[in-house]
Amino acid sequence: MHKRYQHQDFEGKWQQVWADQKIYDVGERDETKEKEYVLVEWPYPSGNLHVGHWYAFGVPDIYVRFKRMSGKQVLYPMGFDAFGLPAENAAIKRNINPKDWTESNIAYMKQQLLSMGNAFSWDKTTASIDEDYYRWTQWMFTEFFKHDLAFRGVATVNWDPIDNTVIANEQVLADGTSERSGAVVIKKELPQWMLKITNFANELIDDLDSLDWPHFIKEGQRQWIGRSKGAELSFTLSSGDRVAVFTTRIDTLFGVTYLVLAPEHPLIPTLTIINHDEVTTYIATAAQKAEQDRLDATKEKTGVRLEGVTATNPISGEVIPVFVADYVIGSYGTGAVMAVPAHDARDYEFARKFELPIIQVISGTDELPYSGPGQLTNSGSLNGLSIEEATPRIIEKVGANVTETFRLRDWSIGRQRYWGVPIPIVYDPSGQAHPVPLEHLPWRLPTDVDFTPTGEAPLAKSVELKERTERIFGAGWTPEVETMDTFVDSSWYFLRYIDNKNDEIFSSLEKQRQWMPVDTYFGGAEHTTMHVLYSRFWQKALHKLELAVHNEPYLRRFNRGLVLGTDGNKMSKSKGNVIDPDEQVKLVGADTVKMYLAFMGPYTETTTYPWDMGGIAGIRRFLERVNGLVDHIIDTEPRSSTEQLHRAIAKVCNDFNHCKFNTAISALMIYVNHVEKAGLSKASYETFLTILAPLAPHLTEELWATLGHTASIHLESFPEADETYLKADTVTIGVQINGKLRGQLTLPSEADEATARAHLAESEELKGRLERLTITKIIYVPGKILNIIGTEI
RNA sequence: GCCGAAGUGGCGGAAUGGUAGACGCGUGCGACUCAAAAUCGCAUAUCGCAAGGUGUGAGGGUUCGAGUCCCUCCUUCGGCACCA
């Protein structure tokens, strides 16, 4: 008789044993085995594990354990992305140091993570706040600086005019106000530390082709980078200046009826403009314009004509007016646009408002604006040509350059915050920036800082930082006072895991050759563009500087879904629908919680799953039955049980490989349903425990030990299905008449068509129908279907 | 508006172009019990007494055969959003 399933009696015990025996540590690379690097996004140590963490780390753990048992050397590291605003806010609120707060959270969270019973490679852990981590973050930044990949540029930032500080996009609320002060956020041009991600724009798109990622993630990145192929050409102004414009539709050049410059366009201040005051006022208003208005694409277009300035259409020689309007973006393309109101919705709207001529130059419809295919018209000698034919001719005629433009901007990484990696730059007395040399790294975050927000960068108030700079570099030298965006920290953590104790370099080429690239990266959909793109850039930049072996960090990427509350809403304290995983674990055990999350639905779908109390009870019920399975052991099991076992092995193995944990679990349920009735041998019982082990590591370990085993079940090999048991003697197939299902037929599994016909002739079920049928054709797909085509009498 | 994903029972979801609804939840009936819970057994897409129909968002198409492939449309979700 079996013991009751008391998860609380053994889950903690086994977690302790695994930790003591370090059975999940990977140690050095073992070249006799294939490697598998499984990565999950390292968490922010908020101090409390929620269901999302379980979903993010617990379900991939199934895959990890399966691969490990299948003979791979699996690296499944865990660490902490521990810089960031929440620590600063918590510290301000509780009047404690962000470092202490963060470190105590990490310690607590490690304990919680252990309670999940995951097979983490704890010997490879790291955290972004460790000095031997951020030292290298800083060093790589200085290398980028030396190679012009990090630079001081000008970026448009979100400016909070009440707090007088730069705020992040995420802190701008949907209505365009600041999350912090409630002020209406404005755009401001400020000098910023930037990373030259745009240098890699083409590679970041083109190299996606080599990756085994879902289509939608690749498309998301492509769209984010936003490559447009087109042409750049110049218009000559009445002042003699030339204005470059970028267009994807140079074929519509004859339809240009005006030119538009962005308010930020550098040429404007140099021009002699009759209505100078009006233009200046407009530009000032546009610059101060609230984020609120800019967000609203449906708002009416505004602009001012530059009186006294005209431009000449390079192909028609026509003289056209020039406008300044904020619907043209200064930082995209050349910051100037040739307006073709007949074939562009925005230009059309603007032209209607300012009563400008609209000349249709592509035929196809009378409905304007029109952007579909057609022939050129009103285009001089080019009339009648298709868009494709006309494009190269016009390019040649006006001497345009075929070019590409990107939506992607350089990455602005400076933050006026305390709790981050100090940007390792010092300025000499003339204001020239110099990288802090490696011997002085880590360039430590000073502690003598009041980080209460005032609008000034907190590090500017540090006496220690100022004195340190002067002591090391000389009198009059000053430190950079900004810290780095935390996305920088997480752009290379997977490289540190594999060589986390190296003092010489952030990650040796040797270790990279051994472990990189990441084979499977499980993560959240919210990181599709930002983090995944930034870290791809970082990898490419390192590769270019010959500091990284590989050009791409992640071979395979999966985005998981989102677990909702029982009411179908996103879990939130205010809705009171938060499921506390600790409570659930206490109630039903870690194995049940993990298996329930895996059973809810396919893991690699980016969708939502409401938490179902009945569903988790069902999983617990299943594990109770597994616990009692020992009572069904018999000396000689029937062949059906052996067949079912091997079918389950084959199915589970295949499903695990494809991360389809839900159907793998269902296969195991089918097996248990069968052997509870038919009985199973002791050998089969042991085999079953090994295939269940990745899903229920604690229970299977306990049952394994009960059988007298002294070594862990997790060191066993994953069984292989025996082909001879996968084939049944007979097979039941469907019989269709004219494509409609009309009955069934049980045949020997290797039956040929003649045999199938012979069985059909004897079928009582189908007799009546067949008598009324003149058969013209029979389609027989062995093991699948018999379709009889004919005419009914 | 553009890009992407998805629409299957009361619910979560299964289904290499080949018997739609596996598995689980829920529900109903039964067994056990003084009773309830737990557990076990049976049933459970839908219309129909039945024979037999009808069914995977809608409508077309390809095919011997379509949830699956193609076209048009609708709805929901996610991302981007004046990017020339």
Side-chain angles (χ1 to χ4, degrees), chain A residues 68-378:
Chain A
R68 192 184 297 268
M69 292 175 80
S70 303
K72 299 257 180 127
Q73 190 184 18
V74 183
L75 175 62
Y76 184 43
M78 176 51 49
F80 298 94
D81 185 17
F83 278 121
L85 199 59
E88 214 165 313
N89 289 342
I92 293 161
K93 203 168 146 193
R94 293 162 216 210
N95 196 27
I96 48 167
N97 190 290
K99 186 170 193 277
D100 299 337
W101 184 83
T102 306
E103 282 175 352
S104 79
N105 276 354
I106 288 177
Y108 181 65
M109 204 151 162
K110 263 188 180 164
Q111 287 311 306
Q112 282 188 309
L113 284 167
L114 287 174
S115 80
M116 292 176 71
N118 288 339
F120 287 130
S121 320
W122 278 112
D123 58 329
K124 301 293 187 191
T125 189
T126 191
S128 61
I129 59 167
D130 293 348
E131 289 190 348
D132 69 351
Y133 186 92
Y134 82 71
R135 172 190 186 197
W136 295 113
T137 309
Q138 292 173 324
W139 181 75
M140 284 184 265
F141 176 86
T142 62
E143 286 299 302
F144 290 172
F145 177 77
K146 289 174 198 162
H147 293 89
D148 297 324
L149 291 170
F151 66 104
R152 194 79 168 143
V154 173
T156 310
V157 296
N158 300 308
W159 184 259
D160 180 331
I162 289 184
D163 277 0
N164 283 320
T165 185
V166 176
I167 61 170
N169 281 333
E170 306 85 72
Q171 293 177 281
V172 182
L173 302 177
D175 65 354
T177 60
S178 166
E179 180 188 79
R180 292 168 61 129
S181 67
V184 173
V185 174
I186 61 170
K187 291 285 186 191
K188 200 167 173 175
E189 303 267 316
L190 280 180
Q192 290 284 303
W193 280 102
M194 320 263 279
L195 295 181
K196 203 97 193 87
I197 189 170
T198 54
N199 273 14
F200 297 85
N202 270 319
E203 284 178 60
L204 285 167
I205 287 184
D206 296 338
D207 293 348
L208 287 169
D209 294 340
S210 67
L211 302 174
D212 180 16
W213 291 10
H215 174 75
F216 72 94
I217 301 183
K218 292 186 182 183
E219 270 311 307
Q221 294 220 346
R222 285 193 192 105
Q223 211 195 317
W224 185 267
I225 299 166
R227 177 162 65 189
S228 291
K229 301 193 176 197
E232 206 176 296
L233 70 156
S234 301
F235 281 68
T236 307
L237 298 187
S238 49
S239 62
D241 294 297
R242 291 170 73 82
V243 175
V245 301
F246 172 77
T247 178
T248 55
R249 291 296 304 276
I250 199 165
D251 55 291
T252 62
L253 188 52
F254 277 97
V256 175
T257 57
Y258 61 97
L259 211 62
V260 192
L261 306 180
E264 302 89 344
H265 200 285
L267 201 58
I268 298 176
T270 72
L271 294 171
T272 312
I273 302 164
I274 296 171
N275 57 338
H276 179 267
D277 290 353
E278 192 191 352
V279 170
T280 313
T281 309
Y282 179 77
I283 292 172
T285 318
Q288 289 292 314
K289 186 162 280 182
E291 181 70 357
Q292 238 169 4
D293 297 335
R294 288 221 168 184
L295 283 171
D296 187 3
T298 59
K299 64 145 189 164
E300 220 176 273
K301 302 246 176 315
T302 60
V304 175
R305 181 168 175 172
L306 305 183
E307 306 280 357
V309 181
T310 56
T312 306
N313 184 325
I315 199 153
S316 64
E318 209 155 313
V319 174
I320 54 172
V322 180
F323 285 81
V324 57
D326 71 354
Y327 81 90
V328 171
I329 297 163
S331 55
Y332 181 78
T334 61
V337 162
M338 57 174 236
V340 188
H343 304 290
D344 180 280
R346 297 151 303 187
D347 299 341
Y348 182 82
E349 195 194 323
F350 191 83
R352 289 295 292 260
K353 182 170 171 187
F354 288 85
E355 294 175 344
L356 296 158
I358 296 168
I359 306 170
Q360 180 168 5
V361 291
I362 304 291
S363 62
T365 173
D366 292 337
E367 228 176 278
L368 297 180
Y370 173 69
S371 57
Q375 272 95 47
L376 270 72
T377 178
N378 296 323

Side-chain angles (χ1 to χ4, degrees), chain A residues 66 118 401 416:
Chain A
F66 165 68
N118 288 339
N401 296 317
Q416 296 179 305

